[in-house]
Amino acid sequence: MGTPADELRHELARAGVRAGDEVIVPSYDVCETAHVVLALGAEPVFADIDPASFCLAPAAVEAVVTERTRAVVAVHTFGHPADLARLAELGQRHQLAVIGHGLVAEPTADIARRQQHARYLSARLKGVLTPQPRSAETHGFQQYVVRVPGNGRPDRDAFARALRARGVDCRVPVQTPVHRSAAFRRDVWLVETERAADESLALPVAAGMSRREVQRVVAACNALGGLLQPAS
């Protein structure tokens, strides 16, 4: 069995993607997806995300479709399923292949445990904006991503440093959107992508965490919540 990148390359090739074609991909992602498209001689075209799911927004995808577009790669971000139903309708209208990518096969018990942790966190966290998934039942929470209100990246980074000092192993899930990376720089402005890159922070939610460990995450975050206020 090949890597996820290999599988995506094969799916794009089966969809008939060739050199000179365009493939719509998210920029709020690692660079791997865009590199796979480039390896086929095609051009990655970046579309904006839905702020609730962090996945491609169908309306944003439709806005960048051209005569050269041959496929859409819908990445299931952080375990949240992309809106494949609406994207499939779009694909039918424009004769595009729509390929879901990024879901990992995992034991059901692990997913259920992370969902349980996520419900606990969302019910108790203060001072951060908790995930608002389109469907909590289908969100696998490979990462539990909150948004830190305030003045964007400076406040988010300060919040992350303060959490790490309290022993919380948090991380910024996407440091730089792909369209702003050196290899794929594009002169486009993706509002929700930029906002997500500046505000988002992944908190620990591993299936193996105990309830006490999850409680410590809540206590550390809530102790800092009053320090950060939304920008006026």
Side-chain angles (χ1 to χ4, degrees), residues 117 120-121 124-126 128 144 146 159 163 166-170 202-206 209-224:
H117 291 335
Y120 185 90
L121 290 169
R124 291 164 176 81
L125 284 172
K126 301 175 183 177
V128 295
Y144 182 87
V146 300
F159 190 85
L163 282 183
R166 287 164 170 77
V168 175
D169 185 22
C170 58
L203 302 180
V205 72
M209 292 175 67
S210 67
R211 175 55 60 88
R212 185 179 296 273
E213 289 172 320
V214 179
Q215 289 172 339
R216 283 200 289 266
V217 173
V218 171
C221 287
N222 289 356
L224 296 169

Side-chain angles (χ1 to χ4, degrees), residues 43-126:
E43 179 183 351
V45 174
F46 301 107
D48 211 352
I49 58 171
D50 175 272
S53 70
F54 294 99
C55 301
L56 281 175
V61 170
E62 188 149 32
V64 296
V65 171
T66 73
E67 293 181 354
R68 293 172 53 203
T69 307
R70 291 294 174 268
V72 179
V73 179
V75 176
H76 305 296
T77 309
F78 309 142
H80 192 301
D83 193 346
L84 291 180
R86 287 183 61 197
L87 289 171
E89 292 174 1
L90 185 157
Q92 288 179 343
R93 289 199 304 273
H94 296 281
Q95 297 184 324
L96 308 176
V98 176
I99 299 169
H101 179 63
L103 280 186
V104 178
E106 299 179 280
T108 303
D110 286 354
I111 297 173
R113 183 66 171 166
R114 290 199 306 267
Q115 289 173 331
Q116 182 181 36
H117 291 335
R119 287 193 296 271
Y120 185 90
L121 290 169
S122 293
R124 291 164 176 81
L125 284 172
K126 301 175 183 177

Side-chain angles (χ1 to χ4, degrees), residues 147-216:
R147 291 175 184 256
V148 179
N151 296 303
R153 189 175 296 260
D155 281 350
R156 188 273 314 278
D157 290 350
F159 190 85
R161 288 192 296 270
L163 282 183
R164 293 185 191 114
R166 287 164 170 77
V168 175
D169 185 22
C170 58
R171 70 183 192 88
V172 176
V174 176
Q175 288 279 358
T176 304
V178 182
H179 77 280
R180 291 204 276 109
S181 67
F184 296 100
R185 192 172 299 278
R186 299 288 192 276
D187 186 20
V188 296
W189 179 251
L190 306 176
V191 175
E192 297 300 342
T193 295
E194 301 283 356
R195 183 176 292 126
D198 286 347
E199 297 178 345
S200 298
L201 187 67
L203 302 180
V205 72
M209 292 175 67
S210 67
R211 175 55 60 88
R212 185 179 296 273
E213 289 172 320
V214 179
Q215 289 172 339
R216 283 200 289 266

